[in-house]
Amino acid sequence: MHLGVDSFVSTVTDPTTGDVIGPAERIEHLLEEIALADRIGLYSFGIGEHHRSEYYDSAPAVLLAAAAARTERIRLGSAVTVLSAADPVRVFQEFATLDLISRGRIDLVVGRGSFTEAFPLFGLDLSDYDSLFSEKLELLLRIRDEAEVTWSGQHRPALVRQSVYPRPMQDPLPIWVGVGGTPESFARAGLLGLPLMVAIIGGEPRQFAPLVDLYRRAGAQAGHSPDKLQVGLHVFGFVAETAQAAADTIYPGWEEMFTKVSRERGFPPPSRQQFDATSGPNGAFFLGDPQTVADKIHRVSRQLGGVDRLSLQMTNPRLAHNDLLRGIELLGTEVAPLVTTA
């Protein structure tokens, strides 16, 4: 299994001083985090896409380009690109260019995102949520496979023998499908023979086993070889010297994030009891000391029939930069050796 980090590049209030970190400094911190992950040998680093005031990742391709110029080995990618609200031609051009800058170290993970702000922002109808994604994924794959494209659909002007350049260094450019908990999304990824990135943000990871099995069965029935049907996990997590330190470091920011989201969506406010249960052995958060996190990774991988890649999303609005750097260091130097395969 390969380990990595994902970031949503959240705004941060320093937990010691109470000062809000400015956007330029926060982005510089992000690049330091990626450089450290590269230096200690983590496999990947992904950057999300959001169009909200509490995140600085609305232009992930720009951030990834800066990261590619500062790194040498680590794979870089999206986590996820909100394809429903994007032009597949521009997405391909941006990530093909990134692949050239990084000399073949890019993964494109596409999905529909967990927030909806991108739809009105780009003049799209939220009721077209699924058809937008399906159509745009079809076009993106066509562009990846054919330099000259003829295509027509419902949501974008047709292409007639249009050439799309540049072409990436990797052939083909890796395109993963990011999914939540919808069976149709798992089956679609399997039928297309695309690697799967499962976002687990609540519940119990073992509950995803039937969906992952559906993905593999759909892929096999479509004639795709098992080696094409890779499974990755995107999970919330953090590593510290002790489990208690990890929980105490992350909880204030977690409470802030989920209080805001719960208020927006009409959910009850979060509690420490809920946080501790979600961080426990069967919960969705991969939180604790290195051995605890490694044990959970192994356990969840067995429950899901094997996992090829796992990325810890460490975004937290109350996490000091030095604490995040230390968490990345522990993930790479102490957790990875316990779970990584060649």
Side-chain angles (χ1 to χ4, degrees):
M1 184 190 304
H2 298 301
L3 288 190
V5 175
D6 285 341
S7 176
F8 292 168
V9 202
S10 66
T11 59
V12 173
T13 299
D14 188 287
T16 302
T17 65
D19 295 334
V20 177
I21 306 301
E25 185 177 5
R26 178 66 187 92
I27 289 175
E28 183 59 35
H29 285 173
L30 169 72
L31 296 175
E32 291 176 14
E33 296 156 13
I34 299 173
L36 173 62
D38 180 53
R39 192 163 59 250
I40 62 176
L42 279 170
Y43 184 75
S44 62
F45 201 108
I47 296 177
E49 178 189 343
H50 299 84
H51 301 273
R52 297 168 60 91
S53 61
E54 65 266 36
Y55 301 113
Y56 296 130
D57 61 352
S58 63
V62 179
L63 298 173
L64 290 167
R70 294 192 182 200
T71 56
E72 296 178 357
R73 296 173 297 174
I74 195 167
R75 295 195 65 81
L76 301 168
S78 53
V80 300
T81 292
V82 184
L83 184 63
S84 305
D87 181 354
V89 174
R90 291 300 287 160
V91 169
F92 182 83
Q93 289 173 329
E94 289 170 351
F95 279 81
T97 303
L98 282 169
D99 201 52
L100 298 174
I101 295 171
S102 69
R103 300 193 65 80
R105 293 186 284 123
I106 292 296
D107 292 302
L108 174 55
V109 185
V110 298
R112 292 176 289 190
S114 57
F115 294 99
T116 61
E117 287 82 4
F119 288 85
L121 182 64
F122 296 110
L124 301 168
D125 190 335
L126 189 57
S127 65
D128 294 328
Y129 183 80
D130 190 62
S131 64
L132 279 165
F133 181 77
S134 298
E135 180 177 296
K136 292 185 177 186
L137 179 58
E138 174 193 328
L139 176 54
L140 180 66
L141 294 174
R142 182 81 63 84
I143 295 168
R144 181 184 71 166
D145 296 338
E146 304 171 10
E148 184 179 274
V149 178
T150 296
W151 174 93
S152 64
Q154 176 184 355
H155 298 290
R156 188 200 187 282
L159 298 174
V160 179
R161 299 186 63 185
Q162 292 290 318
S163 299
V164 181
Y165 294 102
R167 308 306 296 180
M169 177 172 287
Q170 298 178 92
D171 184 16
L173 179 73
I175 297 177
W176 295 62
V177 176
V179 298
T182 307
E184 293 79 5
S185 296
F186 284 79
R188 175 168 50 205
L191 290 172
L192 292 171
L194 296 174
L196 187 76
M197 185 62 68
V198 185
I200 300 179
I201 58 176
E204 296 186 0
R206 62 186 175 187
Q207 294 173 326
F208 286 82
L211 294 171
V212 173
D213 183 59
L214 171 64
Y215 161 72
R216 290 182 171 128
R217 285 189 286 108
Q221 290 169 6
H224 300 296
S225 61
D227 62 292
K228 291 185 65 175
L229 303 174
Q230 298 181 64
V231 174
L233 302 182
H234 163 96
V235 299
F236 282 104
F238 187 70
V239 189
E241 274 77 5
T242 68
Q244 191 64 52
D248 292 343
T249 300
I250 291 299
Y251 178 73
W254 176 87
E255 182 185 36
E256 180 179 315
M257 285 192 298
F258 281 88
T259 294
K260 181 173 183 176
V261 171
S262 297
R263 188 182 302 120
E264 290 176 355
R265 301 184 180 183
F267 299 155
S271 66
R272 181 64 191 246
Q273 182 180 17
Q274 179 186 356
F275 172 82
D276 288 339
T278 309
S279 305
N282 296 315
F285 296 170
F286 287 61
L287 194 74
D289 60 86
Q291 188 64 57
T292 297
V293 173
D295 289 345
K296 188 165 192 174
I297 291 171
H298 281 300
R299 183 166 60 253
V300 170
S301 181
R302 289 193 299 270
Q303 291 169 346
L304 301 184
V307 171
D308 300 283
R309 185 184 300 194
L310 185 143
S311 295
L312 263 65
Q313 203 285 99
M314 298 189 184
T315 293
N316 188 290
R318 296 276 173 177
L319 180 60
H321 179 51
N322 286 337
D323 288 337
L324 179 50
L325 291 176
R326 180 57 177 156
I328 292 172
E329 182 179 24
L330 289 170
L331 181 67
T333 61
E334 298 197 24
V335 179
L338 298 175
V339 303
T340 298
T341 56

